[in-house]
Amino acid sequence: MKSINGTNADSILIDLEAVTLAELMARAEAATLAHHSALVTYSRKVFIPLTQLCRDVCQYCTFATTPAKIGKAYLNRDEVLAIARAGVAAGCREALFTLGDRPEDRYNAARSALTELGHESTLSYVREMAEAVLVETGLLPHLNPGLMNDADYAMLRPVAASMGLMLETTSNRLSEKGGPHYGSPDKLPAVRLEALEAAGRARVPFTTGILIGIGETRLERIEALLAIRESHARHGHVQEVIVQNFKAKAGTKMVNHPEPSLDDHLWTIAAARLILGAEMTIQVPPNLHAPEELAVLLAAGANDWGGVSPVTPDHVNPEAPWPHLDVLTKATAAAGRVLVERLAIGPNFSLNADEWLDPALAVTVRKQVDARGLPVVESWRAGGEELPPALPQSGETCSTPAIQSIIDRASAGDRLSIDEIETLFRADGPDVAFITAAADELRSKAAGDTVSYVVNRNINYTNICLYKCSFCAFSKGGNKDMRGPAYLIDEAEVGRRAAEAVERGATEVCLQGGIHPDFDGHTYHRILTAVRMAAPGIHIHAFSPLEIMHGAQTLGKPLEDYLAWLKEAGLSTLPGTAAEILDDEVRAIICPDKVTTAEWLDVMRAAHSVGIRSTATIMFGHVDRYDHWAKHLLAIRDLQEETGGFTEFVPLPFVHMEAPMWRKGKSRSGPSFREAILMHAVARLVLHPLISNIQASWVKLGPEGVVEALRAGVNDLGGILMDESITRAAGGQNGQIFGPNRMADIAGSAGRGIRQRTTIYGNIGHPAKETNGVCHVE
C-alpha cells in the first residue's frame, strides 16, 4: 500500500481499514519522506480579512458575520496596506486575502460599499487590493474569495501567486436541511468541483482540501480526496491539500457537535497521503492541535503547516492562536523533521513559474527562490558584501540514515548516482552540518590540514566577444555594455603585465578573454609567445576550452595538434572555465552558441592526452537544478577516472547583480548560502578519491563564506588574483586582490595552517611576502 491508484472508494476504504493505524501511518510517512525528505514547509504570512460578510450560512462558521455586527463592509486601501506593511516588517512573504463569498448578492450594505469604492463586485475589489499589496509591499497575494469561474480566475491571475478554495466535502447530504451546509449555495459539491476545474483550466496554482468531523463518513472523505486527485490529474494545478479538523465554536449551531479524535485525524491524513501520492503537499493547520500533538501529525504523512502569521490571528479560527515559530520549530524537530519557509506558491510551481504565473509575477518569484523552489531567506548573495547566515548545528533527522549510507559509499570511493547526489543537495537543517563534517573529514585524509593558495595575476586581455552568454556581464559586443567600455590589450602589454607579475612575486599568470572577432588560432599562440619572452619562468595558465576550440577550428587543426603546438609555445595548464553547467538542457538556455557539454569534455580530454593538466569548474545557481549539478559532477568524475588530468575542482556561485539574464528576469538570484556550502562539500564526496583538491572562490563567497567552506571539505583558496575583473563586471564587491596575509588570516580562522603552492600543487621554495599590500619575493 505504498500508494493507492484505484478509483473505487469502497474498495479503498476496505484496504485502508484492513491495517492498524500505526501501520497506515508508517506507510504514509515513508511515502512522504521518499519525496519530501525531512523538510516541512510553512508560509510566513499576514491575513487580510477584506470582508467578513458572506452570502452563505455555514453552521460551524464564526468568520462570517452581518452588517449590523461588523459596522463596515470592507477594509479600505489604507487598512489593507497597513496590515501588509506590518507583515513585511515581520519578515512575511505572503498576504492571504480571506473573505466571504459574494456578500453583495445578499447584503445591500455590501453593494453600497462597493459602489463607494468604485467596484461592481467583491472580486473586482479583491483584484485592486491584491495589486496594491503586490506593487507597494512586495508580498505575494494568495486569494481565497470563494467560488470563481474561468473569467474570474483570468481577472485575478495577474495579481495572485496562488488561489484557494476548500472543497470540504463531496457529500450532497451535508447540504440538506439539518446539515452543516444547509442554506449555503456555495457549498454545494457540484459548484465547488466546477470551481476546482476552472482553476485548473486557468493554470492557477491551487490550494484545496477537506474538512473532517462535520458529519461526513470516512467513505465520503475518500470520495472527496479522489475527486481532488482526478482534477489534479487532468490539470496538475493542486499545489497542496489541507486536511483540516472541525473545531466546535461558541456561538454557532454546531457548538455541541463532537470534534474528530486525534486518531481519526491521523487516519485521514495518512489516507490522504496514500491516495494523493508521495509528491502531493499535505497540509495540517498547526493551531488546531495542542503543541504536543504536532509531531504525530507529521508522522501520519503531513509535510506542511500552511500559513503561520507573526502579525495577524487566524480569522477563521480566532479562538486558536498560531503557535510561536519557536514552538513549531521544536515540534517539527521532535518528529525528526526540519522546518523551512515556502512562498504562497508551492516549490514545484515556483520552479515552473513561466507556466503557472503571469509574466511579471514569474520574475518576482524566480528571483526569490533557490533550486528547490523555496525562498532564500538570508540577505547573503554570491559576490555581495552581506555576511553569510549561521549554518545549522549538528543533529539528526529522518533523512540522516539515508544520507549516512550515501556518505559511506562516497567515502569508499564509489560512484554515486544522480538520485543520491540530489539527496545530498536537498539536505537542510542538521543534515547540512552532517554532510559538511563528513566532507571535511574526507578532506583531511585526502589533502591534509594545510590550506594552499597560489600567487597569480589575472590578465583578461579583451572583453569583446562574439558569443551571447546570457549570464555574462564581462563581455562586450554580444550584450549591452554595463560596466565600462570595450577594450583589447595588445600582446606587448600582456607581456609587460606578466613580467610585472613576476616582479611582484607571482608564480602564475591566468590568461582569459572574450572571443574577439579578429582572433584566430594564431592569436593565442602569439599571446603565449609574448608572455614567455617577457617572463620566461612564469607558469602560464591560459585559455578556456571555448578559446581552445575557437583557435583550433579557425586553423582547421585537430584539438590534440593545436594544444601540442600551444604547449610548445609555453602553455602550461588550462583553466576549467566555460563549463558553466555540463548539461545541454541548461546550456541551451544560458549559452546556446557556446561549446556543448561534449565539446568541453573533448577539449579537456585532448589537453590531458598531450600532457596539459587543467582545473574544472561549475557555475551554479541560475536556471539549473540539482540533477544538473549531479550530472556535472559525474561528468567531471568520469573524465578524471579516464585521464587523471584535473588538478582541482572549483565551485563558482552565480553572481547575479549585473548578469543580463537576471536583469531580464530569466534567472534566480544566485544560490543560497546553504547551496553554496553544500556544493563544496558534495563535490568533495562525489569526486573522492579521484580529485584531491577542492577550491573556494573568495571573490564569490567573501571572507566569512570562505571560512565556512574551509570547514566543508575545501583545502585551497585559489589565487590572490591581481586584477580580477570578470566577477566585478557581474556586480561582485569582493576586491581585486587577496594577499598572502589575508589568506593566512582566513586559514587561521578555520583553525588551519597556510602554504603557498604552484599551479599544480607543488611546494614553493621561497614563498612570496607581502608588504603594504604588495607581494614580492625576498
Side-chain angles (χ1 to χ4, degrees), residues 599-622:
E599 288 171 338
W600 189 94
L601 293 169
D602 284 345
V603 170
M604 289 304 188
R605 183 179 289 107
H608 298 169
S609 74
V610 299
I612 299 174
R613 302 190 71 187
S614 67
T615 62
T617 67
I618 184 171
M619 193 268 289
F620 63 102
H622 34 84

Side-chain angles (χ1 to χ4, degrees), residues 59-62 211-214 244-260 288 316-320:
Q59 307 301 306
Y60 47 77
C61 180
T62 58
L211 179 61
I212 70 167
I214 57 174
Q244 183 169 335
N245 51 314
F246 162 76
K247 300 294 287 186
K249 299 177 177 64
T252 68
K253 292 185 178 180
M254 294 180 67
V255 63
N256 295 317
H257 187 83
E259 298 177 351
L288 302 184
V316 177
N317 300 285
E319 76 289 348

Side-chain angles (χ1 to χ4, degrees), residues 458 460 472-474 512-513 700 723-732:
N458 272 20
N460 303 121
C472 183
F474 171 74
Q512 293 183 97
K700 316 287 187 182
D723 306 320
E724 192 282 331
S725 56
I726 295 175
T727 299
R728 288 180 63 79

Side-chain angles (χ1 to χ4, degrees), residues 213-551:
I214 57 174
E216 81 294 341
T217 65
R218 283 186 171 181
L219 179 63
E220 289 168 335
R221 294 178 196 173
I222 292 170
E223 290 170 342
L225 290 170
L226 287 175
I228 293 170
R229 188 177 77 178
E230 290 164 6
S231 182
H232 181 62
R234 284 187 288 272
H235 306 291
H237 64 308
V238 178
Q239 65 174 6
E240 59 193 346
V241 173
I242 304 171
V243 180
Q244 183 169 335
N245 51 314
F246 162 76
K247 300 294 287 186
K249 299 177 177 64
T252 68
K253 292 185 178 180
M254 294 180 67
V255 63
N256 295 317
H257 187 83
E259 298 177 351
S261 67
L262 175 60
D263 281 357
D264 196 23
H265 197 188
L266 296 175
W267 184 92
T268 310
I269 294 168
R273 169 60 66 203
L274 296 173
I275 291 170
L276 297 171
E279 293 186 7
M280 183 59 69
T281 290
I282 305 294
Q283 180 191 131
V284 180
N287 58 323
L288 302 184
H289 282 278
E292 61 271 17
E293 295 176 341
L294 297 181
V296 73
L297 299 176
L298 299 177
N303 68 295
D304 185 81
W305 293 127
V308 178
S309 179
V311 178
T312 52
D314 179 353
H315 293 282
V316 177
N317 300 285
E319 76 289 348
W322 298 111
H324 194 282
L325 286 174
D326 286 345
V327 173
L328 200 59
T329 300
K330 291 177 181 177
T332 304
R337 313 287 273 279
V338 181
L339 186 66
V340 295
E341 284 191 51
R342 62 165 171 82
L343 298 178
I345 178 173
N348 291 337
F349 293 82
S350 66
L351 290 177
N352 296 284
D354 286 333
E355 176 183 355
W356 291 101
L357 294 175
D358 181 79
L361 261 177
V363 171
T364 299
V365 167
R366 188 179 296 115
K367 289 185 174 183
Q368 293 186 40
V369 299
D370 64 14
R372 302 174 297 183
L374 297 174
V376 178
V377 298
E378 73 259 15
S379 59
W380 180 91
R381 291 293 186 273
E385 296 180 313
E386 298 87 355
L387 294 176
L391 290 173
Q393 299 300 307
S394 59
E396 292 191 8
T397 74
C398 290
S399 297
T400 304
I403 289 172
Q404 178 66 70
S405 177
I406 296 170
I407 289 172
D408 289 344
R409 285 186 12 84
S411 299
D414 294 344
R415 185 183 190 274
L416 300 182
S417 69
I418 291 174
D419 286 345
E420 287 174 318
I421 298 170
E422 281 192 85
T423 296
L424 297 178
F425 279 127
R426 291 186 179 280
D428 209 323
D431 288 326
V432 173
F434 192 71
I435 292 169
T436 56
D440 206 42
E441 181 179 352
L442 207 56
R443 180 270 311 157
S444 181
K445 295 176 181 177
D449 294 326
T450 302
V451 178
S452 55
Y453 72 95
V454 64
V455 177
N456 64 351
R457 183 174 197 171
N458 272 20
I459 305 177
N460 303 121
Y461 36 79
T462 184
N463 62 354
I464 300 169
C465 189
L466 292 168
Y467 289 81
K468 300 178 177 64
C469 300
S470 62
F471 58 84
C472 183
F474 171 74
S475 70
K476 311 299 173 183
N479 295 309
K480 181 180 177 182
D481 293 359
M482 296 180 186
R483 296 177 72 90
Y487 68 83
L488 173 62
I489 300 172
D490 63 31
E491 291 147 20
E493 175 61 15
V494 172
R496 189 198 67 78
R497 293 188 185 189
E500 183 181 69
V502 173
E503 293 173 4
R504 293 173 61 182
T507 61
E508 170 198 309
V509 286
C510 179
L511 309 175
Q512 293 183 97
I515 306 299
H516 194 286
D518 296 335
F519 282 12
D520 63 13
H522 293 294
T523 308
Y524 303 108
H525 192 273
R526 289 195 302 269
I527 290 172
L528 291 171
T529 301
V531 171
R532 184 57 71 221
M533 290 180 64
I538 198 80
H539 183 106
I540 304 177
H541 185 62
F543 311 140
S544 71
L546 176 61
E547 293 172 285
I548 296 296
M549 181 72 73
H550 175 74

Side-chain angles (χ1 to χ4, degrees), residues 87-217:
V88 171
C92 296
R93 292 175 172 78
E94 174 184 344
L96 168 59
F97 282 78
T98 56
L99 56 150
D101 208 312
R102 301 182 190 271
E104 64 271 26
D105 289 357
R106 182 177 180 183
Y107 296 113
N108 289 330
R111 290 192 293 273
S112 298
L114 287 171
T115 299
E116 291 180 10
L117 291 166
H119 290 273
E120 293 184 357
S121 70
T122 297
L123 291 180
S124 173
Y125 186 49
V126 168
R127 191 193 193 284
E128 180 187 337
M129 291 300 97
E131 184 174 24
V133 167
L134 178 63
V135 171
E136 298 197 27
T137 73
L139 293 182
L140 296 174
H142 172 85
L143 309 181
N144 283 342
L147 289 183
M148 291 181 284
N149 58 31
D150 296 74
D152 297 329
Y153 286 120
M155 175 186 67
L156 293 171
R157 190 175 184 269
V159 298
S162 56
M163 302 184 214
L165 176 73
M166 288 288 283
L167 176 59
E168 295 194 8
T169 183
T170 52
S171 172
N172 285 306
R173 66 180 185 82
L174 297 184
S175 292
E176 297 172 358
K177 189 172 183 178
H181 292 157
Y182 180 68
S184 300
D186 300 300
K187 292 299 177 76
L188 292 172
V191 296
R192 292 182 94 75
L193 286 170
E194 171 52 27
L196 180 61
E197 284 290 298
R201 292 192 295 268
R203 309 305 286 163
V204 171
F206 208 69
T207 297
T208 189
I210 61 174
L211 179 61
I212 70 167
I214 57 174
E216 81 294 341
T217 65

